[in-house]
Coordinates of all heavy atoms in Angstrom, one line a residue:
R1194 N -8.7 4.3 3.3 CA -8.3 4.5 4.7 C -9.0 3.6 5.7 O -10.2 3.4 5.6 CB -8.6 6.0 5.1 CG -8.4 6.3 6.6 CD -8.6 7.7 6.9 NE -8.2 8.0 8.3 CZ -9.1 8.2 9.3 NH1 -10.4 8.3 9.0 NH2 -8.6 8.5 10.5
W1195 N -8.3 3.0 6.6 CA -8.8 2.2 7.7 C -8.5 3.1 8.9 O -7.3 3.2 9.3 CB -8.1 0.9 7.7 CG -8.6 -0.1 8.7 CD1 -9.7 -0.9 8.6 CD2 -8.0 -0.5 10.0 NE1 -9.9 -1.7 9.7 CE2 -8.8 -1.5 10.5 CE3 -6.9 0.0 10.7 CZ2 -8.6 -2.0 11.8 CZ3 -6.6 -0.6 11.9 CH2 -7.5 -1.6 12.4
A1196 N -9.5 3.6 9.5 CA -9.4 4.7 10.5 C -8.5 4.2 11.7 O -8.7 3.2 12.3 CB -10.7 5.1 11.0
T1197 N -7.5 5.0 12.0 CA -6.8 4.9 13.3 C -6.9 6.2 14.1 O -7.4 6.2 15.2 CB -5.3 4.5 13.1 OG1 -4.7 5.5 12.3 CG2 -5.1 3.2 12.5
H1198 N -6.5 7.3 13.5 CA -6.6 8.6 14.3 C -7.7 9.4 13.7 O -7.6 10.0 12.7 CB -5.3 9.4 14.1 CG -4.1 8.7 14.7 ND1 -3.6 7.6 14.1 CD2 -3.3 9.0 15.7 CE1 -2.5 7.2 14.9 NE2 -2.3 8.1 15.8
G1199 N -8.8 9.4 14.5 CA -10.0 10.1 14.0 C -11.0 9.2 13.3 O -10.5 8.3 12.6
P1200 N -12.3 9.4 13.4 CA -13.3 8.5 12.8 C -13.3 8.7 11.2 O -12.6 9.6 10.7 CB -14.6 9.1 13.3 CG -14.3 10.5 13.8 CD -12.9 10.5 14.1
P1201 N -14.0 7.7 10.6 CA -14.1 7.8 9.1 C -14.9 9.0 8.6 O -16.1 9.0 8.7 CB -14.7 6.5 8.7 CG -14.9 5.7 9.9 CD -14.7 6.6 11.1
T1202 N -14.3 10.1 8.3 CA -15.0 11.3 7.8 C -14.3 11.8 6.5 O -13.1 11.3 6.3 CB -14.9 12.5 8.8 OG1 -13.5 12.8 9.0 CG2 -15.6 12.1 10.1
I1203 N -14.9 12.7 5.8 CA -14.2 13.2 4.6 C -12.9 13.9 5.0 O -11.9 13.8 4.3 CB -15.2 14.1 3.8 CG1 -16.3 13.2 3.2 CG2 -14.5 14.9 2.7 CD1 -17.2 13.8 2.2
E1204 N -13.0 14.7 6.1 CA -11.8 15.4 6.5 C -10.7 14.5 6.8 O -9.5 14.8 6.5 CB -12.1 16.3 7.8 CG -13.1 17.4 7.6 CD -14.5 16.9 7.4 OE1 -14.9 15.9 8.0 OE2 -15.3 17.5 6.6
N1205 N -11.0 13.4 7.5 CA -9.9 12.5 7.9 C -9.4 11.6 6.7 O -8.3 11.0 6.8 CB -10.3 11.6 9.1 CG -10.4 12.5 10.3 OD1 -9.8 13.5 10.4 ND2 -11.3 12.0 11.3
A1206 N -10.2 11.4 5.7 CA -9.8 10.6 4.6 C -8.6 11.1 3.9 O -8.4 12.3 3.9 CB -11.0 10.4 3.6
H1207 N -7.8 10.3 3.3 CA -6.6 10.7 2.5 C -7.1 10.9 1.1 O -8.0 10.3 0.7 CB -5.5 9.7 2.6 CG -5.0 9.3 4.0 ND1 -3.8 8.9 4.2 CD2 -5.7 9.3 5.2 CE1 -3.7 8.6 5.5 NE2 -4.8 8.9 6.1
P1208 N -6.3 11.5 0.3 CA -5.0 12.2 0.5 C -5.2 13.5 1.3 O -6.3 14.1 1.3 CB -4.6 12.6 -0.9 CG -5.3 11.7 -1.8 CD -6.6 11.4 -1.2
H1209 N -4.1 13.9 2.0 CA -4.1 15.1 2.8 C -3.1 16.1 2.0 O -2.2 15.7 1.4 CB -3.6 14.9 4.2 CG -4.6 14.2 5.0 ND1 -5.7 14.8 5.5 CD2 -4.7 12.8 5.3 CE1 -6.5 13.9 6.2 NE2 -5.9 12.7 6.0
T1210 N -3.5 17.3 2.1 CA -2.8 18.4 1.3 C -2.2 19.4 2.2 O -2.8 19.8 3.3 CB -3.8 19.0 0.3 OG1 -4.4 17.9 -0.4 CG2 -3.2 19.9 -0.6

Side-chain angles (χ1 to χ4, degrees):
R1194 174 174 188 254
W1195 187 79
T1197 56
H1198 296 69
T1202 58
I1203 292 194
E1204 293 71 33
N1205 288 336
H1207 302 208
H1209 289 282
T1210 304

